[in-house]
Amino acid sequence: MLPSSPLSHYCPELHEDQEHKVDKYLQHLQLSDETLMDVSIRFRREMDKGLCRDTNPTAAVKMLPTFVRSTPDGTEQGEFLALDLGGSNFRVLLVKVMANGEQKVEMESQIYAVPEHIMRGSGTELFDHIADCLAHFVDKMGIKDKKLPLGFTFSFPCQQTKLDEVSHVKVLLSFSKYKSHLDFDIDIVAVVNDTVGTMMTCGYDDQHCEIGLIVGTGTNACYMEQMRNIDLMDSDDGRMCVNTEWGAFGDDGALDDLRTDFDQDLDAGSLNPGKQLFEKMISGMYMGELVRLILVRMAKEHLLFQGKTTAELLTTESFNTKYIYAIENDKDEEGLASAEKVLRDLGLDPTVEDCIGTQRVCQIVSTRAAHLCAAALAAVLRQIRDNKGTEKLRTTIGVDGSVYKSHPEFSRRLNKMVRRLVPDCDVRFLQSQDGSGKGAAMVTAVAYRLAAQHAERQHILDTLRLSRAQLLEVKERIRKEMVRGLSRQTHKQASVKMLPSYVRSTPDGTEHGDFLALDLGGSSFRVLLVRLRSGKRQIVDMHHKIYSIPQETMQGTGEELFSHIVHCIGDFLEYMGMRGASLPLGFTFSFPCHQSKLDQGILLKWTKGFKASGCEGQDVVTLLKDAVHRRREFDLKFVAVVNDTVGTMMTCGYEDPKCEVGLIVGTGTNICYMEEMQNIELVEGDTGRMCVNVEWGAFGDNGELDDFCTQFDHIVDDCSNNPGKQRYEKMISGMYLGEIVRNVLMDFTAKGLLFRGKMSERLKTRGIFETKFLSQIERDRLAMRQVRSILQHLGLTGSTCDDSVLVKEVCTVVARRAAQLCGAGLAAVVDKIRENRNLNRLSITVGVDGTLYKTHPHFSSIMQETLQDLAPQCQVTFHKSEDGSGKGAALITAVAYRVQSEGQQ
């Protein structure tokens, strides 16, 4: 306080009275929570416009993609150069990042000036100067023999096309290097904005950091946006940092109703009228000038300084923003003393009321700036929260800039208002300690880490990718095994057994009558009553009931299993009011069987978890008959026992007479088709056709797939209930795909390529990654949310968006291989049918069933593309079975009755 200071007359009542007068005068600068919420909503709309390809050209908030796809995860390491250019000085930094055991960053830097004539000269001159300074630094540090990666913080609005290129910046910098005849080389990896640098710097210390905020000379924010929302980019997967360039918010008139006369005067006197209007209401470059304009207006209206002004007060930019920091000191008397000194330096003779009034003006201007900043931040936070689909968001905002760091109250006001506007967001503000230069190095370090990890991951995933030549080879090998399976001489050695089904005809639409069907293929089974009515309109009326088979029955004795089945049949007949009825029965039995006639099936081996004793090598129809006789309540006419693929073919064949192939891709996989009798050496007779149950799941059991099997296939096979068996099925079907994915994820994690190398105990559990997860994850648009919830189910609560992208990629690769292998096998089957019939082109329908085919979003299309590519002379229509293989068993029974009736006639 000066010796003759008017502050000696200070009293609290006077202070309160003067503040009230200023508040009344500047009421339009004091924004209510309701108004700020409205600003936040407006900014969210502007963000949407900037993200949309159609509206981006006219959007004020440009939402520029930065091509930064990931934040630090703490495993980055190496030496990196950084350039930090954003004003009349720039820094060159050498940043050493260490990750062995503990995160540590060591930095050495030097500041270089940019002379005025170079700042206003040509771009080539500017970048020549930067290159010369860089050469000096490299020489001084003794590192010119190393080709170090370089990150470049370029704090000006830029349109980027990739991470290492902003307009001509990279070209100019690289060109300057050679023009100057410099004897060192650099690898320019990343060009980033200062907000991105801030986010990355803070992100290294706090891995929840996904927003960067600058409030200094200028203001801006960036954040990690979902790729699917960035229309300017083609990809949908993962995230990318978006530079909002929010300083231009309002340039299209969106803030006109909130801009005061003082804001308009400030804008009119600026170097860029009508531009960066939001920045002019917030940043340090304009805050002091806004206070000066208010003081001048209040003086002219005799509200301050007894109506007097001075030449100094009337001089533009004479009231430095730094004065506000001192005047708003949280100790009133010190702040008022600073106000008095500033006003005297401006040639004024202030009273205590003038000092109080000036302090209040500063408070109102800086508070509005903090609150407007909070409103825009609230919009960004809501966007991130909505992207993640969470009720409460936990995140960190990395902050830098002289206003945020130096103003005594700005950070507190900003933080408090953000929490009021978005109470459902748990926000931590982390102040950047090392500036955006370190951030540029961190972007470079992350880019190098991602590149190295990507290369290692792709090397592993490439083992699961099949070329066209490999798929053609699979097709040819399956074709050879089919021929071996049909031949009497090689049948026993063949992996593909080509079992005759004794189904000699597909439906022709004249079938009619009532038929029972039993559909057994897993831990539950169906009993069906199928009523067929022929005529002008084919009518199928079905009733069914599902029954479960307890685990102890599945693995007990055969007598217990078939007694349980017969008990359920009796329950169904009673349920239908048909107790004691005698109906023809078709039995869908979805296990490998040897048949010598239609109503007999010798079980070769149990699969799908069944182990009932006394059944393998026995006729399942006889076992079922014996159980019926033991019960003595009803009698059945056993007509047909068929595989589920045959049932599917018959079901679809009833609706499409061209259907001659049945395909199952679900828990297991198999196929059947109508083969020429002359080719089936295991059955007497050469005329007509018979449906052959290929049992292609066992393809590869003789080593035919060894050169296509990966380490993951071997692990899954070794840990299965039947090692060395059903090798083709284990690469395709739903029972195994989830296990393949889980083993890939475990391998990635063990190598530090996923989940930051942290393995969850649940992920180690066999069978925990269900195949249905593949279908859920690969459903487009909401994929990242699906992945996140699934990973949480697997105990991976700390997984990142990058982890989610990688998990989706693994699922895609594994499912694609399965679909392609299935397509290659199907190509072998339809090509054989075409050649059997000596046709140049074959038109045929394939009946399909199975959960994987029906529920996976891309399996069917990839399978069909592969088929078309490998069997171009076959035009294949796919008919999805809607009623399952049970109805097919009834139809086979109906066809058998029809054929028998035709034979008698």
Side-chain angles (χ1 to χ4, degrees), residues 3 8 68-69 168 217 262 328 333 380 415-416 459 472 551 573 594 625 661 677 746 751 777 884:
S8 56
V68 172
R69 297 291 302 268
H168 304 296
T217 308
F262 307 114
E328 284 199 62
E333 290 190 15
V380 173
N415 301 4
K416 187 176 178 182
H459 177 71
L472 280 168
Q551 187 76 12
L573 289 172
H594 172 73
K625 278 181 180 178
V661 181
M677 282 291 293
M746 293 224 315
K751 291 174 178 172
I777 284 169

Coordinates of all heavy atoms in Angstrom, one line a residue, residues 3 8 68-69 168 217 262 328 333 380 415-416 459 472 551 573 594 625 661 677 746 751 777 884:
P3 N 2.2 5.2 0.5 CA 2.0 6.0 1.7 C 0.7 6.8 1.8 O 0.1 6.9 2.8 CB 3.3 6.9 1.6 CG 4.3 6.1 0.8 CD 3.4 5.3 -0.2
S8 N -6.4 3.3 2.7 CA -6.4 3.5 4.2 C -7.8 3.8 4.7 O -8.2 3.7 5.8 CB -5.5 4.6 4.6 OG -5.8 5.8 3.9
V68 N -4.0 -39.1 -34.1 CA -3.5 -39.7 -32.9 C -4.5 -40.7 -32.4 O -5.7 -40.3 -32.1 CB -3.2 -38.6 -31.8 CG1 -2.9 -39.3 -30.5 CG2 -2.1 -37.7 -32.2
R69 N -4.2 -42.0 -32.5 CA -5.2 -43.1 -32.3 C -5.1 -43.7 -30.8 O -6.0 -44.5 -30.5 CB -4.9 -44.2 -33.3 CG -5.1 -43.8 -34.7 CD -6.6 -43.5 -35.1 NE -7.4 -44.6 -34.8 CZ -7.8 -45.6 -35.6 NH1 -7.3 -45.5 -36.9 NH2 -8.6 -46.5 -35.3
H168 N 2.0 -28.6 -45.6 CA 3.3 -28.7 -46.2 C 4.4 -28.7 -45.1 O 5.5 -28.5 -45.4 CB 3.6 -27.6 -47.2 CG 2.6 -27.6 -48.3 ND1 2.4 -28.7 -49.2 CD2 1.6 -26.7 -48.6 CE1 1.4 -28.4 -50.0 NE2 0.9 -27.2 -49.7
T217 N -2.7 -17.9 -23.7 CA -2.8 -16.8 -24.7 C -4.0 -17.0 -25.6 O -4.7 -16.1 -25.9 CB -1.5 -16.7 -25.5 OG1 -0.4 -16.6 -24.6 CG2 -1.5 -15.4 -26.4
F262 N -19.1 -4.7 -25.2 CA -17.6 -4.7 -24.9 C -17.0 -5.8 -25.8 O -15.9 -5.6 -26.4 CB -17.3 -5.0 -23.4 CG -18.0 -4.1 -22.5 CD1 -19.0 -4.6 -21.7 CD2 -17.7 -2.7 -22.5 CE1 -19.7 -3.7 -20.8 CE2 -18.4 -1.9 -21.6 CZ -19.4 -2.4 -20.8
E328 N -6.7 -10.0 -8.6 CA -7.7 -10.9 -8.0 C -7.0 -11.8 -7.0 O -7.5 -12.9 -6.7 CB -8.2 -11.8 -9.1 CG -9.3 -11.1 -10.0 CD -10.2 -12.1 -10.7 OE1 -10.8 -12.9 -10.1 OE2 -10.1 -12.1 -12.0
E333 N -7.0 -7.2 0.5 CA -6.2 -6.0 0.6 C -5.0 -6.0 -0.4 O -4.6 -5.0 -1.0 CB -5.7 -5.9 2.1 CG -6.8 -5.5 3.0 CD -6.3 -5.1 4.4 OE1 -5.1 -4.9 4.5 OE2 -7.1 -5.1 5.3
V380 N -18.2 -31.6 -24.2 CA -17.2 -32.7 -24.6 C -17.4 -33.9 -23.6 O -17.4 -35.0 -24.1 CB -15.8 -32.1 -24.5 CG1 -14.8 -33.2 -24.7 CG2 -15.6 -31.0 -25.5
N415 N -13.3 -25.7 -12.5 CA -13.6 -27.1 -11.9 C -15.0 -27.1 -11.3 O -15.8 -28.1 -11.5 CB -12.5 -27.4 -10.9 CG -11.1 -27.4 -11.5 OD1 -10.9 -27.1 -12.6 ND2 -10.2 -27.8 -10.6
K416 N -15.3 -26.1 -10.5 CA -16.6 -26.1 -9.8 C -17.8 -26.0 -10.8 O -18.8 -26.8 -10.6 CB -16.6 -24.9 -8.8 CG -17.8 -24.8 -7.9 CD -17.7 -23.7 -6.9 CE -18.9 -23.6 -6.0 NZ -18.8 -22.4 -5.1
H459 N 1.8 -60.2 -37.4 CA 2.6 -61.4 -37.7 C 1.9 -62.7 -37.1 O 1.9 -63.7 -37.7 CB 4.0 -61.3 -37.0 CG 4.9 -62.5 -37.2 ND1 5.4 -62.9 -38.4 CD2 5.3 -63.4 -36.3 CE1 6.1 -64.0 -38.3 NE2 6.0 -64.3 -37.0
L472 N -8.0 -72.9 -52.1 CA -8.2 -73.8 -53.2 C -7.6 -75.2 -52.9 O -8.1 -76.2 -53.2 CB -7.5 -73.2 -54.5 CG -8.3 -72.2 -55.2 CD1 -7.4 -71.5 -56.3 CD2 -9.5 -72.9 -55.9
Q551 N -27.2 -84.0 -17.1 CA -25.8 -84.4 -17.3 C -25.6 -85.8 -16.9 O -24.9 -86.6 -17.6 CB -24.9 -83.4 -16.5 CG -23.4 -83.6 -16.8 CD -23.0 -83.0 -18.1 OE1 -23.8 -82.2 -18.7 NE2 -21.9 -83.3 -18.6
L573 N -47.2 -87.3 -26.0 CA -48.5 -87.9 -26.5 C -49.6 -87.6 -25.6 O -50.8 -87.3 -26.1 CB -48.3 -89.4 -26.7 CG -47.4 -89.9 -27.9 CD1 -47.2 -91.4 -27.8 CD2 -47.9 -89.4 -29.2
H594 N -23.3 -95.4 -38.8 CA -23.2 -96.2 -40.0 C -24.6 -96.8 -40.3 O -25.2 -97.4 -39.4 CB -22.2 -97.3 -39.8 CG -22.2 -98.3 -41.0 ND1 -21.7 -98.0 -42.2 CD2 -22.7 -99.6 -41.1 CE1 -21.8 -99.0 -43.1 NE2 -22.4 -100.0 -42.4
K625 N -36.4 -98.8 -29.6 CA -37.5 -99.8 -29.6 C -37.6 -100.6 -28.3 O -38.6 -100.8 -27.7 CB -37.3 -100.8 -30.7 CG -37.8 -100.3 -32.1 CD -37.5 -101.4 -33.1 CE -38.0 -101.0 -34.5 NZ -37.7 -102.1 -35.5
V661 N -28.6 -80.1 -50.9 CA -27.5 -80.1 -50.0 C -28.0 -79.6 -48.6 O -28.8 -78.6 -48.6 CB -26.4 -79.1 -50.5 CG1 -25.2 -79.1 -49.5 CG2 -25.9 -79.5 -51.8
M677 N -25.8 -92.9 -57.1 CA -25.7 -94.2 -56.5 C -24.5 -94.9 -57.0 O -23.8 -95.7 -56.3 CB -26.9 -95.0 -56.7 CG -28.1 -94.7 -55.8 SD -27.8 -95.2 -54.1 CE -27.8 -97.0 -54.3
M746 N -4.9 -64.5 -24.9 CA -4.0 -64.8 -23.8 C -2.5 -64.7 -24.3 O -1.6 -64.2 -23.6 CB -4.2 -66.3 -23.4 CG -5.5 -66.4 -22.6 SD -5.4 -67.4 -21.2 CE -4.4 -68.8 -21.6
K751 N 2.5 -61.4 -24.2 CA 3.5 -60.7 -24.9 C 3.4 -59.2 -24.7 O 4.2 -58.4 -25.4 CB 3.5 -61.0 -26.4 CG 3.9 -62.5 -26.6 CD 3.7 -62.9 -28.0 CE 4.2 -64.4 -28.2 NZ 3.8 -64.9 -29.6
I777 N -19.8 -59.0 -30.7 CA -18.7 -58.1 -30.9 C -18.7 -57.6 -32.3 O -18.4 -56.4 -32.6 CB -17.4 -58.7 -30.5 CG1 -17.2 -58.8 -29.0 CG2 -16.2 -58.0 -31.1 CD1 -16.1 -59.7 -28.5
G884 N -35.8 -76.3 -38.3 CA -34.9 -77.3 -37.7 C -35.0 -78.6 -38.3 O -35.8 -78.9 -39.2

